[in-house]
């Protein structure tokens, strides 16, 4: 791996201590971090590169926080609409879906910390041993997938709404609300992935920085209901514009005949064509 940030065909890289120190120095979130914290972060963190239109997964066995280093991401909200109408499908249908077993959900915080601690001890000791039984191994390169349209069930149509753009310096994946919401790379994007359970420890979370940032994101980003109201407003405007244009371009019968045109207007064109200079 000669050039970690270059186009080497690998989507996941680990930065060295010097590279990570220079990278984190660009952002105000990490100004209070010590050299020991940065060195530990260089062991646990990963830089993942996403291609355009590639989905950035948020529901992972080991939750990660994402820091956008370069590129742009778009936040898409999926609105399930009843086919043939603009009515939002009732969320009651979600209750009929079978509940996934507990083993499929994220592990307990203690298990997450144990996984992070094992990774740290492994790389600190220089031993490339496999993790203990029961711990999780996450490969972000294999966890990514390209955006696909959900299956269009008979009564439901899925409409995607562009919520906003996340640029360099944006942070997401802190546990904020994202009901039926997807993060997709708009351009070629590089994100720094930090284990959320490690990031929320007191040393890295002075003054509850990350929880306060999560509360800000929950308040600043509109929810599904607000986006649905905006979608209805936009659809009403588009319908009004179509009707207005259709009525303005229709041919109107005024009853005007050539005899109603003044003689000077009818003679102007032939005279100008025959005039010589």
């Amino acid at each position: 791996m000669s050039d970690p940030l270059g186009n080497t065909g690998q989507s996941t890289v680990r930065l060295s201590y010097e590279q990570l120190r220079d990278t984190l120095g660009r952002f105000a979130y990490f100004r209070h971090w010590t050299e020991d914290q940065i060195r530990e972060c260089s062991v646990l963190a990963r830089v993942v590169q996403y291609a355009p239109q590639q989905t950035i997964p948020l529901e992972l066995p080991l939750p990660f926080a994402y820091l956008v280093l370069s590129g742009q991401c778009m936040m898409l909200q999926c609105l399930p609409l009843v086919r043939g109408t603009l009515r939002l499908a009732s969320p009651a249908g979600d209750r009929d879906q079978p509940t996934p077993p507990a083993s499929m959900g994220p592990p307990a915080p203690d298990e997450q910390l144990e996984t992070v601690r094992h990774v740290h001890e492994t790389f600190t000791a220089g031993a490339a041993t496999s993790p203990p039984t029961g711990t999780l191994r996450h490969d972000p390169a294999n966890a990514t997938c390209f955006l696909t349209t959900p299956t269009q069930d008979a009564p439901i149509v899925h409409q995607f709404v562009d919520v906003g753009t996340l640029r360099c310096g944006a942070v997401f994946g802190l546990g904020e609300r994202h009901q039926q919401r997807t993060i997709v790379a708009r351009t070629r994007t590089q994100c720094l992935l930090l284990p959320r359970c490690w990031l929320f420890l007191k040393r890295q979370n002075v003054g509850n920085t990350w929880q306060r940032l999560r509360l800000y994101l929950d308040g600043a980003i509109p929810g599904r209901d607000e986006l649905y109201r905006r979608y209805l407003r936009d659809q009403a405007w588009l319908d009004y514009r179509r009707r207005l244009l259709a009525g303005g371009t229709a041919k109107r019968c005024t009853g005007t005949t050539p005899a109603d045109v003044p003689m000077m207007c009818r003679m102007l064109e032939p005279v100008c064509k025959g005039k010589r200079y």
Side-chain angles (χ1 to χ4, degrees):
M1 192 181 303
S2 58
D3 185 8
L5 298 180
N7 188 9
T8 60
Q10 298 180 355
S11 58
T12 305
V13 296
R14 182 187 303 122
L15 299 181
S16 64
Y17 166 76
E18 292 77 11
Q19 290 174 322
L20 184 63
R21 181 186 58 191
D22 296 340
T23 301
L24 297 182
R26 298 159 47 193
F27 307 101
Y29 310 111
F30 311 100
R31 290 178 180 173
H32 65 278
W33 281 24
T34 63
E35 293 186 1
D36 292 339
Q37 289 175 287
I38 298 177
R39 193 175 302 277
E40 186 176 3
C41 182
S42 66
V43 175
L44 303 176
R46 298 292 183 274
V47 174
V48 182
Q49 181 170 275
Y50 300 94
Q53 305 302 319
Q54 192 173 6
T55 303
I56 299 179
L58 297 178
E59 299 295 339
L60 298 175
L62 183 61
F64 282 87
Y66 297 78
L67 172 65
V68 181
L69 299 180
S70 64
Q72 296 181 2
C73 304
M74 55 182 172
M75 186 179 299
L76 298 179
Q77 175 70 53
C78 180
L79 298 177
L81 304 177
V82 178
R83 185 178 295 275
T85 66
L86 295 179
R87 184 166 56 86
L88 191 65
S90 174
D94 298 337
R95 304 191 188 101
D96 299 334
Q97 300 294 332
T99 303
S103 59
M104 296 180 60
D110 293 341
E111 297 180 9
Q112 298 179 23
L113 287 175
E114 182 63 28
T115 302
V116 173
R117 188 179 299 110
H118 171 77
V119 174
H120 179 265
E121 293 175 354
T122 299
F123 285 98
T124 301
T129 57
S130 58
T133 305
T135 58
L136 297 172
R137 290 184 297 175
H138 170 64
D139 184 5
N142 297 327
T144 57
C145 61
F146 285 89
L147 177 64
T148 56
T149 304
T151 304
Q152 300 292 336
D153 300 331
I156 302 297
V157 177
H158 295 89
Q159 178 70 39
F160 285 97
V161 177
D162 191 347
V163 182
T165 301
L166 301 172
R167 297 180 173 84
C168 179
V171 179
F172 60 93
L174 298 174
E176 61 271 15
R177 297 191 301 266
H178 54 270
Q179 181 184 10
Q180 295 181 325
R181 189 167 293 175
T182 306
I183 307 294
V184 181
R186 190 184 299 273
T187 61
R188 188 170 298 277
T189 305
Q190 290 181 344
C191 294
L192 179 67
L193 274 64
L194 300 168
R196 191 194 304 168
C197 57
W198 176 82
L199 191 64
F200 282 5
L201 294 179
K202 188 174 182 179
R203 291 183 59 197
Q204 291 78 237
N205 194 23
V206 177
N208 290 329
T209 301
W210 304 111
Q211 280 82 358
R212 290 160 61 186
L213 182 57
R214 180 182 61 187
L215 292 176
Y216 168 77
L217 293 176
D218 286 337
I221 300 176
R224 188 182 68 168
D225 294 339
E226 175 63 23
L227 292 172
Y228 175 63
R229 286 191 290 267
R230 296 183 184 181
Y231 174 76
L232 292 180
R233 182 191 60 190
D234 294 342
Q235 292 300 314
W237 161 247
L238 291 176
D239 183 64
Y240 170 75
R241 188 177 66 175
R242 283 192 296 265
R243 289 187 285 105
L244 186 64
L245 292 177
T249 58
K251 186 176 180 180
R252 299 179 181 179
C253 183
T254 60
T256 303
T257 61
D260 298 327
V261 180
M263 182 64 67
M264 293 299 297
C265 296
R266 285 185 286 172
M267 294 177 58
L268 182 60
E269 184 176 358
V271 169
C272 293
K273 285 184 178 180
K275 191 172 182 179
R276 298 181 180 179
Y277 296 94

